[in-house]
Amino acid sequence: MSLCSILYKNLENTMIVVDTLIHARWIIPVEPESVTYENHTLVIDKGRIIDLQPTDVAKLMYQGATTENLNTHALLPGFINCHTHAAMSLMRGIADDLPLMDWLQNHIWPLEQKWMSEAFVRDGTDLAIAEMILGGTTCFNDMYFFPDVTAQQAIQHGIRACVGMVVIDFPTIWAENSAAYIAKGLEVHDQLRHQPLIKTSFAPHAPYTVSDEPLQRIRTLADELEIPVNMHVHETAHEVEQAQANTGQRPLQRLTNLGLLNPSFIAVHMTQLTAEEISLFAESGAHIVHCPESNLKLASGFCPVAQCLSAGINVALGTDGAASNNDLDMMGEMRTAALLAKAVAQDASSVPAMTALRMATINGAKALGLEHETGSLAIGKSADVIAIDLDHLETQPLFCPVSQIVYAASRQQVTDVWVAGKQLLKQRQLTTVNVAALKLRISAWQHRLTS
């Protein structure tokens, strides 16, 4: 045996064996901000990121049970869709081009009253999860009935989720009153507290559907359990005007008086804000989830994102449900958020590409209290990773990968997705979803909902 062969054999014997090596053209960790690594390798073992090295170094240090060579791809943390109603995917396109309250009261709520069931939530959630994985979402924050079913489907498909324990004052098939909603929510929390991919939150629907007493109870329980509270707040001008007429105060002031505004509170939409409210909200440490495309479609208004970010508020992104968006496309949401913020602020430098990417990743993790687990590609964090192929005509020429991802790429360029090191999408093929069987179930629901 030659000296070179002996040296190579000795080197092989000293290599560290790991589960997965992903060699990529670019790695965009999100943290540190504005850093892009070229020709680097992400090293994954036991579901976690254990190293990030130049590829030529990684090849000498590690041997992977699985090795991916993604020579035209950017690796980045998976998107965190911070506001969804996953099961409502079954109602995609059924009541389009209507204002919010007409859409809700005369179309969505009657359909839910007629058809809501565990099967509805199971099948609608499966459809949503499949769509989200295909688009690079690795974690979603949901607000809907039967949260236990939503959680079980997320577990089955291997995606990370925060399931909201919904609370409203009026009866539905899920519960008869606010006390029952809270009690059932606590049961769901107990059932799921040991699931590594599942987190729970309280999800009172909105100020106009939940009264003071249950909100005070939720605040106490959320503090005890150390879980978030997420709620639709200041979604439309009508909501704010009605609150002032009925209570003499704007909803945010009422929530402040109830003690809800704190670092565990997540306000969704927030299209109607004064300068004083932005300052108050920033001081509270609470978070905003911006849903630009749903807000645009329902003509709900514009969240002043640039002002909120400048005030120090953590702003994350959500799609809302597919019944009001009509997709769960976080790449589209990033682009819309960046462009809309510039127009609202009348400042082209507002919400640059990296800021939009952070809103779709680490900012969402911070809002959900998951920033130590996911949201960036950092050593020790869960391997929640996506790969986007930038070798498409639509993303050429390529001067800045982050800019191309936010302003030019589409979700169809997401080729591979991992959550906690498990591959859920491989070369555009879902690994945990039977697509043909799912399409049959969705077709059956289409006939029921239009009958």
Side-chain angles (χ1 to χ4, degrees):
M1 183 180 291
S2 69
L3 179 59
C4 287
S5 297
I6 292 170
L7 289 173
Y8 185 74
K9 187 69 175 176
N10 288 337
L11 187 61
E12 274 191 321
N13 292 335
T14 62
M15 279 186 170
I16 301 169
V17 179
V18 296
D19 292 335
T20 307
L21 296 176
I22 311 175
H23 306 309
R25 178 67 177 84
W26 301 276
I27 295 181
I28 303 165
V30 172
E31 289 185 328
E33 187 173 348
S34 301
V35 170
T36 297
Y37 300 106
E38 293 193 47
N39 298 310
H40 271 59
T41 295
L42 202 66
V43 185
I44 299 170
D45 197 52
K46 297 180 175 60
R48 297 205 166 264
I49 299 167
I50 67 165
D51 207 352
L52 193 165
Q53 291 285 347
T55 295
D56 55 356
V57 174
K59 286 181 176 178
L60 296 175
M61 294 177 62
Y62 297 100
Q63 180 180 339
T66 300
T67 299
E68 302 284 348
N69 294 292
L70 302 177
N71 300 321
T72 61
H73 295 65
L75 290 187
L76 55 154
F79 300 126
I80 297 176
N81 189 342
C82 230
H83 183 62
T84 63
H85 309 286
M88 292 180 76
S89 293
L90 290 181
M91 294 184 280
R92 188 197 320 261
I94 204 165
D96 281 344
D97 306 321
L98 298 169
L100 175 64
M101 296 316 296
D102 183 10
W103 176 79
L104 269 178
Q105 295 174 350
N106 299 322
H107 300 273
I108 299 302
W109 285 347
L111 281 171
E112 288 176 335
Q113 186 174 12
K114 181 177 181 180
W115 292 108
M116 181 55 55
S117 66
E118 290 191 23
F120 181 99
V121 173
R122 181 197 66 221
D123 292 344
T125 299
D126 280 354
L127 176 60
I129 287 172
E131 180 182 354
M132 285 191 283
I133 293 171
L134 283 163
T137 292
T138 56
C139 176
F140 68 103
N141 179 37
D142 203 58
M143 178 192 286
Y144 209 59
F145 308 107
F146 296 100
D148 53 333
V149 176
T150 301
Q152 289 306 315
Q153 298 314 110
I155 293 166
Q156 177 181 322
H157 297 298
I159 192 170
R160 194 178 301 279
C162 180
V163 293
M165 301 177 289
V166 68
V167 179
I168 51 180
D169 283 346
F170 51 82
T172 66
I173 191 172
W174 175 239
E176 63 271 18
N177 54 43
S178 56
Y181 284 99
I182 292 172
K184 294 191 77 169
L186 292 173
E187 290 176 7
V188 170
H189 173 80
D190 287 341
Q191 292 167 12
L192 298 172
R193 68 182 186 276
H194 299 304
Q195 290 291 341
L197 293 180
I198 305 298
K199 183 180 175 74
T200 58
S201 71
F202 276 108
H205 173 259
Y208 58 87
T209 55
V210 188
S211 52
D212 285 1
E213 185 177 347
L215 286 176
Q216 290 171 327
R217 175 72 172 145
I218 286 167
R219 184 206 63 200
T220 301
L221 289 169
D223 289 345
E224 291 175 358
L225 297 173
E226 297 182 333
I227 60 175
V229 176
N230 73 105
M231 186 180 201
H232 302 103
V233 181
H234 283 221
E235 185 170 0
T236 65
H238 175 74
E239 172 198 336
V240 176
E241 291 163 2
Q242 286 295 108
Q244 288 180 297
N246 295 335
T247 69
Q249 55 186 345
R250 290 164 67 89
L252 262 181
Q253 186 59 57
R254 174 176 162 233
L255 297 177
T256 301
N257 294 343
L258 291 170
L260 278 166
L261 261 62
N262 59 46
S264 296
F265 188 73
I266 305 167
V268 183
H269 297 298
M270 296 284 272
T271 70
Q272 313 294 317
L273 291 173
T274 65
E276 292 77 13
E277 285 170 336
I278 291 172
S279 178
L280 172 73
F281 202 86
E283 290 174 8
S284 75
H287 313 267
I288 290 175
V289 177
H290 179 37
C291 302
E293 293 188 1
S294 178
N295 292 342
L296 286 168
K297 184 164 182 284
L298 293 169
S300 296
F302 307 110
C303 178
V305 172
Q307 288 177 260
C308 292
L309 290 170
S310 294
I313 298 171
N314 180 54
V315 182
L317 283 182
T319 59
D320 211 343
S324 65
N325 187 306
N326 292 17
D327 58 41
L328 306 176
D329 178 4
M330 285 293 287
M331 292 186 72
E333 217 70 38
M334 277 196 300
R335 181 178 303 115
T336 302
L339 298 178
L340 186 61
K342 299 174 193 304
V344 171
Q346 297 184 24
D347 179 0
S349 66
S350 294
V351 187
M354 178 52 78
T355 299
L357 180 57
R358 289 179 64 85
M359 288 167 66
T361 54
I362 190 63
N363 288 14
K366 289 176 180 176
L368 299 177
L370 291 171
E371 66 269 33
H372 301 299
E373 184 70 9
T374 189
S376 63
L377 301 184
I379 293 171
K381 284 193 176 185
S382 179
D384 297 357
V385 186
I386 66 174
I388 300 176
D389 186 1
L390 296 177
D391 190 31
H392 286 226
L393 287 176
E394 294 88 342
T395 44
Q396 297 294 316
L398 198 152
F399 301 109
C400 173
V402 173
S403 179
Q404 294 295 64
I405 288 167
V406 173
Y407 293 125
S410 70
R411 60 177 168 173
Q412 284 74 26
Q413 289 172 248
V414 176
T415 61
D416 299 85
V417 172
W418 294 262
V419 174
K422 179 181 179 181
Q423 193 159 14
L424 307 186
L425 186 70
K426 185 175 178 62
Q427 297 177 14
R428 293 296 297 165
Q429 298 300 308
L430 293 161
T431 65
T432 65
V433 179
N434 183 328
V435 174
L438 177 59
K439 283 183 176 179
L440 288 175
R441 285 188 279 144
I442 302 312
S443 178
W445 278 110
Q446 179 180 347
H447 290 299
R448 292 183 198 123
L449 289 165
T450 54
S451 62

